[in-house]
Amino acid sequence: MSMLKTPLGRYRLLAYIVGVGLVVLVFVGVPLQQWANFPYVAKYVGMLHGFLYIVYCVACLELVLRYRLHLVRLLLMAAAGFVPFLSFVMERK
């Protein structure tokens, strides 16, 4: 787990986790809730995604402050947490 020792490593891990959670929520949880009347996936994955999104935003802020990135970069990284698949793109950049 040497990836957790640096701000970039923590950001990359959280970006992946939040991205996967959002994709599961949007493409599995919400359709199950709407079409199959099964709200539990959306409820629990949504709650977990919300909590992890806050932790992800803290990691974004730490990365921006540590490496003196522009405010626009912070806004793009934060937006990547609630647009499906965008966190994977931002994590690579």
Side-chain angles (χ1 to χ4, degrees):
M1 283 284 155
S2 64
M3 125 183 277
L4 295 177
K5 292 182 181 178
T6 66
L8 183 59
R10 286 188 290 274
Y11 167 76
R12 292 183 77 185
L13 179 65
L14 281 167
Y16 182 75
I17 292 171
V18 168
V20 168
L22 183 60
V23 167
V24 169
L25 177 64
V26 169
F27 295 109
V28 176
V30 173
L32 280 175
Q33 181 181 11
Q34 295 298 318
W35 298 326
N37 199 21
F38 190 76
Y40 303 108
V41 175
K43 179 180 177 182
Y44 294 115
V45 173
M47 220 179 329
L48 182 62
H49 172 73
F51 173 75
L52 289 175
Y53 179 73
I54 294 170
V55 176
Y56 169 77
C57 285
V58 170
C60 291
L61 184 62
E62 179 188 19
L63 195 64
V64 166
L65 293 175
R66 179 76 51 102
Y67 296 115
R68 300 180 191 266
L69 301 174
H70 294 289
L71 183 61
V72 174
R73 184 73 137 207
L74 173 64
L75 295 174
L76 288 173
M77 289 187 324
F82 59 87
V83 176
F85 298 107
L86 187 57
S87 66
F88 303 120
V89 173
M90 286 303 295
E91 182 266 332
R92 277 285 154 209
K93 290 186 178 238

